[in-house]
Amino acid sequence: YKLFSKTEKSLVSFIVPTFLLIIVFTNCVCTMLDMIMGHHHEALGLHYVMFLPTLYSQCDREQSKKWLPLATSFQALGTYAQTELGHGTHLRGLETTATYDPSTQEFVLNSPTITSIKWWPGALGKTSNHAVVLAQLYTQGKCHGLHAFIVQLRDMDTHIPLPGIDVGDIGPKFGFSEVDNGFLKLDNVRIPRENMLMKYAKVEPDGSYLKPPSAKLTYGTMVFIRSLIVGQSAFSLAKACTIAIRYSTVRHQSEIRSGEPEPQILDYQTQQYKLFPLLATAYAFTFVGQYMSQIYHRITGDINQGDFNELPELHALSAGLKAFTTWTTNSGIEVCRMSCGGHGYSCSSALPDIYAEFTPTCTYEGENTVMMLQTARYLLKSYKQAKAGQQLSGIVSYLNEMEQRQVQAHPASARPTVVDINDLSNLVECYKQRAATLVDLAARSIQQELQKRRSQEDAWNNSAIDLVRASDAHCHFVVVKLFTEKLSEIGDTAIHAVVSNLALLYALHGITQSSGDFLQVGCMLQISVRIKELLCQLRPNAVALVDAFDFHDKKLKSVLGRYDGNVYENLFDWARRSPLNVFVDENYFKKHVFSGNELFRPDL
């Protein structure tokens, strides 16, 4: 270093810290993804995936200097306290209050009702000593809606809860037994003014309020988590498919032809029909998860530059795709479990654990039906803009084409359209037409309700089923579109052919599942035979396709899904190692088994 010139020293002084920062940031992101993807469920999960990202995204410069070193060094162990006992997805209904006191320049936080007690945050019960608390901000006699506050919960040395803090664990759950989900009741807890996260909104010392450029910025962490959940859906479904497909090549059952050896159960068309569309879905969701990560970071970069134009689309897309992917994956894991027969019910398969750990995604970070309705609100707003002649951009730009191909109100009179079922671009067009049609039908439903002199709110509620269908169709279109576009990035001809078959199967299977909608838009498709052909074509590559997910046996934790296929030997060994078989008390029967009528003892 002493031999470097002044310019070289300047470059080294810049490059080395920057390189180290990149390593640290990459490690942090990988750890966050590792947590959210289910590799770890220890109590620090929420610290990584919600507390730290909130500090990074919503602290101003001075707050970052104070809180980020404390959080990254684990002196401040944090969680994210949003959900309450009586309110979850409806964030505007949260009741926790933060009232500014200008005489002391402090916020006073309270849980004014039983339903306002914070409920469910992970790591709250026993682990965290700090929390980002979402509360209704009151200053100068006015409520300014939800804002985020950093609240210390426990003494950083003794870990004893501070005065006014009533905190504990909420008890056993369906899964995640090792995570201390907790409750938090606040009673006149005072925090400094500087503990309100003030990158976008601000309260001055005198109590004056400066509003943020967009109210949705408060929910930035939620958008981040929902984007990650899309990737988690792909990850969990890929694990389930890996186990089920590998086991389906080990398990032999019945006879196809009398007198011949029992075939692998993956040779049965019914087994293929259960699993191959789910395998295709896992690939589709993997690509969508990558897209969500890219678009989140791009739009977040724009936001940091003061451009908030694409924030509404990001909010709507993350909400809808979170619901769409988790609903599909949740039911898909159960199909994988059942396709493994009786052994799938055993914890040795890992499938019960995968299901129990994944299923809460359908309700946390936003209950799925409400998420779909949030996406519908954005779709209806975009629909009105398109009808008014405004040119839309982004993922909803297809609504610009409504006037050119307006579907008739009565589907029976719609003219059948001949579609090449082997052309993915044709199928993408079908999904696009279906989405546009269902958005249009939802808008018409609301209009009809308004003509009956319903209020806007009642018209919305009375059209909610149509709105959810429209959002589902929109999300389905997005997934098919992104899957198709991803194929252009695959250079290897053989791999391209196999993944193209997966994309085709995903698109065609989706049409069969919603055939009524596609008939409504005039797409008359003969796809049943083609799906059966695709099942046969994918059969030779099924194991290779799940091997491509590259799950190590230590991560998969499944006897049925072992890479080497030695299922039965290891299943027997797994059972032998059960705690009930490890310890044998020779006096057990003398103590606890009785003859005659002495079958039950009240002291046992």
Side-chain angles (χ1 to χ4, degrees):
Y1 183 78
K2 291 179 180 178
L3 298 176
F4 287 168
S5 68
K6 186 176 181 180
T7 303
E8 289 170 331
K9 288 180 179 179
S10 298
L11 283 170
V12 170
S13 298
F14 170 75
I15 291 172
V16 172
T18 303
F19 181 65
L20 291 173
L21 181 62
I22 291 171
I23 292 174
V24 171
F25 178 75
T26 303
N27 184 59
C28 185
V29 170
C30 290
T31 304
M32 287 193 294
L33 288 173
D34 208 33
M35 294 282 186
I36 198 72
M37 294 301 187
H39 293 178
H40 300 288
H41 297 307
E42 53 262 13
L44 292 182
L46 266 287
H47 179 85
Y48 280 102
V49 301
M50 297 197 81
F51 186 70
L52 269 173
T54 302
L55 297 184
Y56 276 113
S57 63
Q58 296 194 41
C59 282
D60 63 22
R61 185 171 297 177
E62 292 303 313
Q63 290 172 326
S64 295
K65 290 179 181 178
K66 175 181 178 180
W67 290 106
L68 288 178
L70 288 172
T72 54
S73 65
F74 303 104
Q75 296 176 66
L77 292 172
T79 186
Y80 190 85
Q82 174 177 286
T83 300
E84 296 175 355
L85 191 54
H87 287 92
T89 307
H90 181 54
L91 299 183
R92 285 181 306 224
L94 296 178
E95 300 175 82
T96 303
T97 60
T99 306
Y100 184 65
D101 181 357
S103 66
T104 60
Q105 295 192 24
E106 293 175 317
F107 289 100
V108 184
L109 278 81
N110 276 290
S111 305
T113 63
I114 185 70
T115 51
S116 68
I117 296 172
K118 295 296 182 184
W119 201 268
W120 277 113
L124 176 62
K126 294 292 182 182
T127 307
S128 297
N129 56 27
H130 285 75
V132 170
V133 175
L134 272 287
Q136 302 287 353
L137 167 63
Y138 286 85
T139 182
Q140 296 182 339
K142 294 182 180 179
C143 179
H144 296 282
L146 278 184
H147 289 72
F149 302 85
I150 302 175
V151 179
Q152 184 173 349
L153 307 176
R154 295 176 168 96
D155 186 281
M156 294 174 71
D157 294 321
T158 66
H159 209 64
I160 295 173
L162 298 179
I165 301 288
D166 185 4
V167 62
D169 188 272
I170 64 170
K173 306 171 290 287
F174 183 66
F176 288 93
S177 299
E178 61 273 48
V179 177
D180 55 327
N181 296 83
F183 64 81
L184 172 64
K185 188 176 186 297
L186 301 161
D187 184 13
N188 291 320
V189 176
R190 287 181 171 268
I191 61 172
R193 181 182 69 89
E194 294 79 11
N195 280 30
M196 171 183 164
L197 296 180
M198 294 194 191
K199 184 173 183 179
Y200 299 110
K202 190 173 183 180
V203 172
E204 300 285 7
D206 66 355
S208 302
Y209 175 72
L210 302 178
K211 67 179 182 179
S214 170
K216 289 184 172 61
L217 289 168
T218 304
Y219 313 134
T221 304
M222 296 289 290
V223 173
F224 171 65
I225 296 299
R226 288 169 188 163
S227 299
L228 284 181
I229 288 174
V230 175
Q232 185 189 5
S233 298
F235 181 86
S236 297
L237 186 57
K239 285 172 69 176
C241 286
T242 298
I243 294 167
I245 288 175
R246 284 179 177 173
Y247 177 64
S248 294
T249 63
V250 172
R251 181 74 173 186
H252 292 253
Q253 183 74 38
S254 304
E255 298 173 343
I256 293 179
R257 298 178 185 84
S258 179
E260 292 188 0
E262 292 180 295
Q264 297 170 325
I265 59 174
L266 199 58
D267 287 334
Y268 287 100
Q269 187 182 77
T270 50
Q271 189 78 344
Q272 295 170 11
Y273 192 68
K274 291 175 189 175
L275 296 178
F276 290 178
L278 292 175
L279 173 61
T281 302
Y283 272 82
F285 288 178
T286 298
F287 300 143
V288 174
Q290 293 170 359
Y291 172 81
M292 284 303 300
S293 177
Q294 293 165 3
I295 192 174
Y296 174 82
H297 287 100
R298 178 177 63 78
I299 294 176
T300 300
D302 293 340
I303 290 170
N304 290 333
Q305 298 299 317
D307 181 358
F308 303 96
N309 291 331
E310 292 188 84
L311 180 58
E313 178 174 319
L314 175 61
H315 181 268
L317 190 60
S318 65
L321 286 176
K322 179 265 182 188
F324 182 82
T325 57
T326 56
W327 265 335
T328 303
T329 298
N330 193 55
S331 60
I333 294 169
E334 179 65 359
V335 170
C336 288
R337 185 192 68 78
M338 291 189 291
S339 72
C340 291
H343 291 320
Y345 187 68
S346 169
C347 286
S348 67
S349 73
L351 290 166
D353 286 338
I354 295 172
Y355 183 83
E357 291 169 3
F358 184 80
T359 194
T361 61
C362 294
T363 48
Y364 68 52
E365 314 312 329
E367 192 277 329
N368 278 356
T369 300
V370 180
M371 292 296 93
M372 283 297 193
L373 290 171
Q374 287 186 11
T375 301
R377 198 171 294 279
Y378 177 74
L379 291 174
L380 265 290
K381 181 179 179 181
S382 301
Y383 171 89
K384 291 177 183 177
Q385 292 171 340
K387 293 288 282 187
Q390 182 176 335
Q391 282 297 303
L392 303 175
S393 59
I395 207 73
V396 293
S397 59
Y398 65 90
L399 295 175
N400 292 323
E401 306 169 26
M402 284 186 303
E403 295 302 321
Q404 290 81 3
R405 51 174 178 72
Q406 188 69 47
V407 179
Q408 299 180 31
H410 300 290
S413 61
R415 199 165 179 177
T417 304
V418 177
V419 175
D420 182 354
I421 62 173
N422 293 303
D423 186 339
L424 276 166
S425 62
N426 269 246
L427 298 179
V428 171
E429 185 66 24
C430 288
Y431 275 89
K432 180 194 296 184
Q433 289 185 28
R434 175 202 178 208
T437 298
L438 291 183
V439 171
D440 181 66
L441 290 174
R444 289 173 184 269
S445 174
I446 290 177
Q447 192 59 40
Q448 289 168 2
E449 290 293 322
L450 292 174
Q451 289 172 357
K452 298 176 184 177
R453 299 186 178 180
R454 312 278 194 198
S455 67
Q456 186 69 43
E457 294 78 10
D458 287 340
W460 180 269
N461 185 46
N462 292 343
S463 304
I465 294 173
D466 298 313
L467 291 164
V468 170
R469 286 181 62 208
S471 291
D472 182 82
H474 170 74
C475 293
H476 211 160
F477 158 65
V478 170
V479 175
V480 172
K481 180 175 182 290
L482 294 176
F483 199 167
T484 302
E485 291 174 351
K486 192 70 177 181
L487 295 174
S488 63
E489 301 177 20
I490 302 175
D492 186 285
T493 304
I495 295 175
H496 187 279
V498 175
V499 181
S500 293
N501 280 343
L502 279 178
L504 196 58
L505 178 61
Y506 179 78
L508 293 177
H509 185 262
I511 292 172
T512 64
Q513 300 301 101
S514 304
S515 55
D517 292 343
F518 287 92
L519 286 171
Q520 197 166 6
V521 300
C523 295
M524 303 298 292
L525 307 174
Q526 299 297 320
I527 62 176
S528 179
V529 173
R530 185 65 182 115
I531 285 180
K532 294 175 183 177
E533 292 172 354
L534 288 168
L535 297 179
C536 291
Q537 291 169 11
L538 287 168
R539 170 62 181 90
N541 296 298
V543 174
L545 284 166
V546 295
D547 286 350
F549 290 127
D550 198 25
F551 292 116
H552 193 280
D553 282 345
K554 290 183 179 179
K555 292 292 185 183
L556 205 57
K557 299 178 182 178
S558 172
V559 176
L560 301 193
R562 289 175 59 90
Y563 181 77
D564 62 11
N566 292 328
V567 170
Y568 298 124
E569 302 94 326
N570 286 281
L571 188 56
F572 184 50
D573 180 63
W574 184 87
R576 292 288 295 268
R577 287 185 282 108
S578 169
L580 291 175
N581 297 324
V582 172
F583 177 73
V584 178
D585 182 358
E586 295 180 356
N587 297 316
Y588 177 84
F589 284 95
K590 293 180 181 179
K591 293 178 181 178
H592 304 300
V593 179
F594 308 95
S595 60
N597 293 325
E598 196 178 4
L599 296 177
F600 301 100
R601 285 264 304 278
D603 59 327
L604 295 182

